[in-house]
């Protein structure tokens, strides 16, 4: 049986009397892409730092590849920290080669790999450009290439999408998929729900320093309310027919109705009822659930709104 790259057992951490992480347990299995989500201050970065052994938990235990974090994991992990940082006077090529050497790759091979990475990801023109002269997005991509240049088994990426424009976010998504296609394991924290929804096999949600959900993306989406938009010129008949199925109902400006369905209501049953009552529909549109809606259902509107606000502001936690 393959050893789990990461296992946390009941880890807790307090700073100056304030609990940052409380009794968190989870494992990351080989080949998984795990989205580690939650609002600012949820404890994500602290948890990832404990996972790497950068800080020690006050309680609980951590194992990397079956052992306590330490030298045995050298070269097997690629880590992109939340804080971005490159030597300003170093070139992109030298920065990536340095990270390769720090992870056990010899000098000439390290330079070769740096060149290959820059060429593969469309940064050939940056090879001799100093980091201080690069755009924020380009510098972030260089730092990410430094984290993956040694082709590790396990990737820990803390807010990798933060600060990137939509084009570079798409590039990074493609990179994550490419890494996963090589049977590598990835956990990344993010505020951007769409990335997690598109990329992840599994979601771990943190709130207030505690784990509040751990399961498949599909299971997370199932926590969201089911929405349905319906329309008809027979407004009164439509309203009367759908009301028994609705937990909540809103009349929209375009004269359609937006429903949140009751837990025991099925969209097919709603449709059959409307057809049976001879109501001619101008619109019948079940709305797919989103992770944001699921998180609102699990942690409450105020906490979920905190995620959304930091999404827009590009903040990290």
């Amino acid at each position: 049986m393959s050893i789990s790259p990461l296992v946390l057992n009941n880890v807790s951490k307090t700073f100056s009397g304030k609990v940052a992480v409380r009794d968190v347990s989870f494992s990351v299995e080989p080949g998984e892409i795990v989205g580690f989500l939650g609002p600012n201050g949820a404890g994500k970065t602290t948890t990832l730092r404990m996972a790497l052994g950068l800080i020690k938990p006050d309680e609980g235990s951590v194992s990397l590849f079956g052992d306590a974090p330490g030298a045995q994991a050298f070269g097997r992990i690629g880590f992109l920290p939340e804080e971005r940082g490159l030597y300003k006077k170093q070139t992109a090529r030298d920065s990536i080669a340095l990270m390769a050497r720090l992870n056990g790759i010899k000098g000439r091979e390290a330079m070769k790999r740096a060149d290959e990475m820059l060429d593969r990801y469309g940064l050939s023109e940056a090879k001799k450009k100093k980091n201080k002269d690069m755009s924020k997005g380009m510098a972030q991509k260089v730092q990410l290439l430094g984290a993956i240049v040694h082709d590790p088994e396990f990737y820990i990426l803390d807010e990798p999408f933060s600060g990137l424009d939509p084009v570079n976010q798409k590039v990074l998504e493609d990179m994550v998929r490419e890494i996963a296609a090589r049977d590598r394991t990835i956990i990344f924290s993010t505020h951007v729900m769409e990335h997690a929804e598109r990329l992840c096999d599994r979601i771990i949600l943190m709130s207030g320093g505690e784990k509040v959900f751990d399961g498949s993306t599909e299971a997370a989406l199932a926590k969201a309310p089911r929405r349905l938009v319906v329309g008809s010129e027979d407004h009164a008949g439509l309203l009367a027919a759908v009301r028994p199925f609705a937990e909540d109902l809103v009349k929209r400006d375009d004269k359609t109705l937006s429903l949140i369905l009751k837990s025991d209501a099925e969209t097919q049953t709603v449709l059959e009822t409307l057809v049976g009552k001879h109501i001619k529909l101008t619109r019948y549109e079940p709305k797919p659930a989103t992770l944001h809606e699921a998180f609102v259902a699990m942690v409450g509107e105020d906490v979920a709104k905190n995620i959304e606000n930091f999404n827009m502001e590009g903040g990290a936690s």
Side-chain angles (χ1 to χ4, degrees), residues 168-183:
N168 281 318
Q169 288 183 16
K170 175 62 167 58
V171 170
L172 179 52
E173 280 195 20
D174 291 342
M175 290 173 68
V176 170
R177 290 190 182 95
E178 181 184 318
I179 291 166
R182 302 199 304 271
D183 293 324

Side-chain angles (χ1 to χ4, degrees), residues 10-184:
N10 306 110
V11 296
S12 296
K13 187 66 182 179
T14 300
F15 296 102
S16 302
K18 182 179 179 180
V19 177
V21 176
R22 179 185 285 111
D23 196 28
V24 168
S25 298
F26 64 83
S27 62
V28 178
E29 301 306 318
E32 281 191 312
I33 305 178
V34 178
F36 196 43
L37 310 180
N40 189 55
K44 302 188 305 298
T45 292
T46 299
T47 302
L48 293 180
R49 288 175 176 172
M50 287 190 288
L52 285 159
L54 299 176
I55 56 177
K56 291 185 178 180
D58 298 328
E59 298 177 5
S61 63
V62 178
S63 71
L64 282 173
F65 301 103
D67 294 303
Q72 89 290 341
F74 179 76
R76 301 178 73 180
I77 295 174
F79 175 49
L80 180 70
E82 178 187 20
E83 299 85 1
R84 308 297 184 239
L86 295 169
Y87 291 112
K88 292 182 179 181
K89 295 183 179 180
Q90 215 171 34
T91 65
R93 183 181 189 231
D94 288 338
S95 293
I96 296 170
L98 172 62
M99 292 304 299
R101 289 196 297 272
L102 290 174
N103 282 283
I105 296 173
K106 302 300 183 182
R108 184 172 295 179
E109 177 63 19
M111 297 301 286
K112 179 183 176 182
R113 289 203 188 188
D115 287 339
E116 289 173 348
M117 296 291 283
L118 288 164
D119 291 339
R120 183 189 309 172
Y121 294 105
L123 290 174
S124 300
E125 76 282 0
K127 286 181 182 178
K128 296 183 179 180
K129 183 178 288 189
K130 291 185 177 180
N131 294 324
K132 66 182 180 67
D133 297 325
M134 290 190 290
S135 67
K136 181 179 179 180
M138 185 177 289
Q140 188 164 331
K141 287 168 72 176
V142 168
Q143 188 162 349
L144 178 60
L145 294 181
I148 70 176
V149 65
H150 56 296
D151 192 23
E153 300 168 51
F154 182 31
Y155 296 75
I156 298 178
L157 311 177
D158 197 357
E159 295 288 350
F161 298 99
S162 178
L164 293 179
D165 59 42
V167 172
N168 281 318
Q169 288 183 16
K170 175 62 167 58
V171 170
L172 179 52
E173 280 195 20
D174 291 342
M175 290 173 68
V176 170
R177 290 190 182 95
E178 181 184 318
I179 291 166
R182 302 199 304 271
D183 293 324
R184 300 304 190 248

